[in-house]
Amino acid sequence: MISSKTTRRTFLTSAAAMGAAGMFPGGVGLLRAQEGQVLNLRLDGDNSILDPGYMVGGTEVEAQKQCLPFLAEYVRDGDTFSWQPTAYVTRLEYVDETHLEFELAPGLVWSGGHGTLKASDVAYSYARMKDSEWSGYFDALETVEVTGELTGTLVLNKPFAPFIMVTLCHGPGAIVCEAATEAAGGRFTTEFPAVCGPYTYSATPGQRAVFEKNPEWTGPAPGFDRVVCHVITEVQAAELAYEAGEIDCTELGPDSLARYSENMPEGTEITTAGELQYMWMGMNTQHPKLQDIRVRKAIQHAVDVDSILAGAFAGTSAKSHGIVCPGLLGHRSETSYSYDPAKARELLAEAGVSGLELTLRTLNWQERLLTAQIIQANLAAIGITVKILPMESGPFWEMGMESAGDTWQDLELWIMRFATVPDPYEATQWFVSEQVGVWNWERWTDPEFDRLYEAGLSETDLAKREEIYLQMQQIMEDTGAYVWINHEPEVYAHRTDIEVVAAPSGELNYHRFKPL
């Protein structure tokens, strides 16, 4: 992460911030004085599925990092990220390119009387992940051989250099308790069947999630005794709560990042986790209104992405040309389409389409709504009427999933942003044929894309591997189903007396925070 700080006070607390100050009477300082080291953070919504195999991600990964074992974790290595073994293991190393041996630390206890962490828990956890909604992370894993109570070998079916970074360090790499998970029916949602980590977990829906110091944890002590994550859905409200002194750390939206960069509040530091976000506007290729590729390509040409970056993101994010983020192998510097309203009108005329009306769905966040409004105006200029449908996070993240109902049939346009890990493989897995109706909401299939995806898993020649991911993004773009928008940085404002630790994709790791 990259940090900058200043001690100049430049903001006055607004009336709205005064309202935010009512969240915790007496303020954060009083909480710390009365209760010891308490860290107050923000959640953008309730954690709905804590199970690593079926989660949405984001803050659910953050919860897993505090309560479940992992074999490896991200560490900063200059301008990039690398990995290190966690406190859960005493050894983690490759003995050859397809065999990764581990030894767990002894005496780490699962809650609820479920015994100690064992190598069999690792084998159970990763076997169930291969049959989960996140199975793509485990394509390269053949099996886990248990060689002792605390030892085992991860056996890969092919060489896959990023395995530790993209699988073990990220949320799908979480280890669950076999006995407790099976007793819970094999899956879980809003409660962990058992925890083995620095913190325990409890939540009050719509209000907060609380992480308390785990009395059974024998590993390194976390920096704070208690972490309270308050549900604040709007970024702007969270920023006001931060400025009022009610939370210690919050993600900054583009406008606030621009303000903070020029005039920093007193006692504030900015930490940038990474730029591993990719945002686009998607189109349902199977919807009757969008089945004609000429209509989709017209929409590509009609959207002025530069205006979106300036108007919705205050010029704080990099322009996107695909799903591979800046600094990663396969990042593109241009697209094969351009902002060209005349070309867009020409394509619509060729398709014989006029008076087209479409619905654009988006999360109900300021920058997304501004993005939607700019797109609405752009498409109106070529004769397409767009209705914007703002949505809360719960229904939004389910709307393209066939398993969640019939909303996918009505999807036309939507604004989507995914986070990724420091390797291009992870971003591409959501768009293979088997993801149609899961995360491939654009609902196209391409045998060559699927073939290249498989090839990219094991290719070790960097030049050849880069060409694979460049080709895959071109295939995506050629469907006409994507308007690439930006790569937002994950930026956090926090007190200067706190050291913040985040994954490159932005997930915070609370137990590695330190008071300074």
Side-chain angles (χ1 to χ4, degrees):
M1 291 170 293
I2 303 169
S3 300
S4 62
K5 59 185 176 182
T6 183
T7 58
R8 292 183 291 116
R9 178 71 177 178
T10 58
F11 287 99
L12 296 176
T13 303
S14 66
M18 293 290 286
M23 282 198 295
F24 324 114
V28 170
L30 182 57
L31 271 176
R32 286 182 175 163
Q34 291 176 341
E35 303 180 29
Q37 293 288 349
V38 177
L39 181 66
N40 283 283
L41 302 175
R42 174 228 176 186
L43 292 182
D44 60 17
D46 291 320
N47 291 321
S48 58
I49 304 178
L50 297 171
D51 190 324
Y54 306 95
M55 62 180 173
V56 171
T59 58
E60 291 160 343
V61 173
E62 294 180 358
Q64 294 160 7
K65 293 283 187 178
Q66 318 319 310
C67 301
L68 297 178
F70 285 76
L71 299 182
E73 63 190 8
Y74 294 116
V75 290
R76 188 82 190 189
D77 184 15
D79 292 332
T80 62
F81 279 83
S82 60
W83 66 272
Q84 66 183 13
T86 66
Y88 294 94
V89 296
T90 58
R91 177 172 174 261
L92 180 65
E93 62 179 332
Y94 278 101
V95 292
D96 60 44
E97 60 185 10
T98 59
H99 290 79
L100 178 60
E101 294 183 350
F102 67 89
E103 181 173 358
L104 300 172
L108 298 178
V109 178
W110 289 107
S111 63
H114 290 290
T116 58
L117 172 65
K118 298 181 178 64
S120 57
D121 291 316
V122 179
Y124 170 80
S125 299
Y126 293 168
R128 73 191 290 271
M129 290 302 297
K130 288 180 69 66
D131 295 322
S132 76
E133 292 177 3
W134 291 73
S135 60
Y137 277 82
F138 289 85
D139 284 343
L141 181 67
E142 182 68 28
T143 189
V144 179
E145 296 178 351
V146 176
T147 58
E149 184 174 278
L150 299 177
T151 59
T153 303
L154 307 182
V155 181
L156 305 186
N157 53 37
K158 67 190 83 173
F160 183 47
F163 180 73
I164 293 178
M165 289 288 284
V166 304
T167 302
L168 301 188
C169 288
H170 196 38
I175 299 162
V176 299
C177 177
E178 179 178 9
T181 303
E182 285 300 298
R187 290 175 62 166
F188 54 95
T189 55
T190 58
E191 295 182 5
F192 293 109
V195 301
C196 177
Y199 290 115
T200 62
Y201 175 87
S202 63
T204 303
Q207 297 183 38
R208 67 187 65 85
V210 179
F211 298 84
E212 301 276 4
K213 210 169 184 179
N214 183 358
E216 297 182 287
W217 173 245
T218 57
F224 291 85
D225 297 330
R226 190 168 187 253
V227 181
V228 182
C229 298
H230 304 273
V231 176
I232 309 173
T233 58
E234 297 292 336
V235 173
Q236 293 77 14
E239 292 165 352
L240 291 171
Y242 174 79
E243 292 177 15
E246 303 302 346
I247 56 177
D248 300 306
C249 174
T250 187
E251 182 181 2
L252 289 181
D255 289 339
S256 294
L257 174 58
R259 286 193 295 120
Y260 277 44
S261 297
E262 294 184 2
N263 296 291
M264 196 79 70
E266 181 182 358
T268 291
E269 181 173 350
I270 288 180
T271 292
T272 300
E275 291 181 288
L276 301 188
Q277 316 280 345
Y278 51 104
M279 183 181 293
W280 74 95
M281 183 178 72
M283 308 178 215
N284 183 355
T285 61
Q286 293 183 2
H287 194 280
K289 295 180 181 180
L290 295 164
Q291 286 178 342
D292 192 322
I293 192 172
R294 292 171 295 185
V295 174
R296 301 195 299 270
K297 287 185 173 291
I299 292 172
Q300 282 183 325
H301 284 293
V303 177
D304 184 358
V305 173
D306 289 336
S307 292
I308 292 173
L309 300 186
F313 295 92
T316 60
S317 61
K319 188 174 183 177
S320 176
H321 303 98
I323 59 174
V324 178
C325 299
L328 302 187
L329 193 74
H331 176 65
R332 303 202 312 170
S333 59
E334 61 182 5
T335 60
S336 56
Y337 65 87
S338 61
Y339 173 54
D340 189 343
K343 178 66 173 177
R345 286 188 284 267
E346 178 183 322
L347 285 165
L348 288 178
E350 288 179 8
V353 172
S354 62
L356 183 60
E357 296 182 358
L358 296 170
T359 297
L360 173 58
R361 301 172 192 244
T362 178
L363 281 170
N364 190 21
W365 297 353
Q366 181 184 14
E367 69 274 9
R368 306 290 178 89
L369 291 173
L370 289 171
T371 298
Q373 289 164 6
I374 293 170
I375 292 172
Q376 182 184 52
N378 289 159
L379 296 187
I382 65 165
I384 297 176
T385 300
V386 172
K387 176 184 177 182
I388 298 170
L389 181 60
M391 302 180 69
E392 297 303 319
S393 60
F396 178 86
W397 288 108
E398 294 181 343
M399 63 186 184
M401 292 186 173
E402 293 182 18
S403 62
D406 296 329
T407 305
W408 64 272
Q409 298 180 21
D410 299 323
L411 277 185
E412 295 172 354
L413 308 176
W414 60 93
I415 296 169
M416 178 64 86
R417 185 188 74 175
F418 280 177
T420 185
V421 295
D423 189 86
Y425 141 81
E426 197 276 339
T428 60
Q429 70 171 320
W430 309 118
F431 305 97
V432 295
S433 298
E434 66 182 20
Q435 286 291 321
V436 171
V438 185
W439 290 112
N440 180 352
W441 295 358
E442 290 79 13
R443 302 185 66 83
W444 56 271
T445 62
D446 188 295
E448 178 65 5
F449 187 91
D450 294 347
R451 186 194 69 80
L452 289 169
Y453 170 76
E454 293 296 334
L457 295 177
S458 56
E459 180 59 66
T460 56
D461 183 287
L462 293 182
K464 292 180 180 178
R465 193 162 188 253
E466 179 167 41
E467 183 58 30
I468 285 171
Y469 293 112
L470 291 172
Q471 290 180 39
M472 292 177 78
Q473 291 172 96
Q474 190 62 52
I475 288 172
M476 294 178 70
E477 187 173 294
D478 288 346
T479 67
Y482 302 88
V483 174
W484 312 120
I485 298 177
N486 69 346
H487 300 287
E488 291 181 83
E490 287 286 356
V491 179
Y492 294 91
H494 57 93
R495 312 296 174 207
T496 54
D497 61 355
I498 296 172
E499 179 182 337
V500 169
V501 177
S505 50
E507 294 90 0
L508 300 175
N509 198 345
Y510 317 148
H511 78 264
R512 295 175 65 190
F513 280 37
K514 296 178 183 177
L516 301 176

